[in-house]
């Protein structure tokens, strides 16, 4: 029998998912890890690192610590630059621009 972890999307739900992944890993470890991991939106960004947690010890530790750091320290201003209304009207673009 194979097990699957499906991670939902929805922006800040990613932080919740990372907390759940951390808890599952602390309880079951590598031996009880999932055979199939996938997700949508922010879950799709988390899934590759969560999948690495099944491999060798070094990958597990780095993947989990990277997920925790990314989803507990990143702020909107680290990723998006907000435009003011005059910039928006001039460029006929959007309120936010991604820098990374």
């Amino acid at each position: 029998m194979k097990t699957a972890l499906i991670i939902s999307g929805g922006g800040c739900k990613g932080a919740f998912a990372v907390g759940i992944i951390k808890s599952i890993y602390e309880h079951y470890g590598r031996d009880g890890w999932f055979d199939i991991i996938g997700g949508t939106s922010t879950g799709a960004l988390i899934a590759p690192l969560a999948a690495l947690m099944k491999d060798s010890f070094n990958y597990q530790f780095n993947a989990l610590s990277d997920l925790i750091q990314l989803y507990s320290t990143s702020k909107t201003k680290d990723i998006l630059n907000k435009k003011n209304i005059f910039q928006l009207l001039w460029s006929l673009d959007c309120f936010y621009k991604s820098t990374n």
Side-chain angles (χ1 to χ4, degrees):
M1 182 167 91
K2 293 192 183 266
T3 58
L5 173 66
I6 308 303
I7 308 163
S8 69
C12 64
K13 290 180 186 174
F16 178 79
V18 169
I20 295 298
I21 289 168
K22 178 180 184 262
S23 179
I24 291 170
Y25 185 76
E26 288 173 349
H27 190 267
Y28 294 103
R30 190 170 80 183
D31 295 333
W33 207 240
F34 300 91
D35 300 305
I36 302 164
I37 300 176
T40 184
S41 191
T42 195
L45 299 173
I46 295 168
L49 287 172
L52 285 174
M53 293 168 62
K54 189 172 185 170
D55 282 340
S56 70
F57 179 77
N58 289 334
Y59 284 130
Q60 292 172 24
F61 180 77
N62 293 334
L64 181 57
S65 64
D66 287 350
L67 278 172
I68 292 168
Q69 181 181 359
L70 286 168
Y71 280 87
S72 65
T73 62
S74 297
K75 296 179 175 41
T76 301
K77 67 179 184 169
D78 297 333
I79 302 167
L80 299 173
N81 291 326
K82 186 174 182 180
K83 293 180 173 183
N84 66 40
I85 190 70
F86 298 110
Q87 289 173 315
L88 177 66
L89 292 173
W90 182 258
S91 66
L92 299 174
D93 202 359
C94 56
F95 278 114
Y96 290 97
K97 278 288 193 188
S98 175
T99 57
N100 297 346

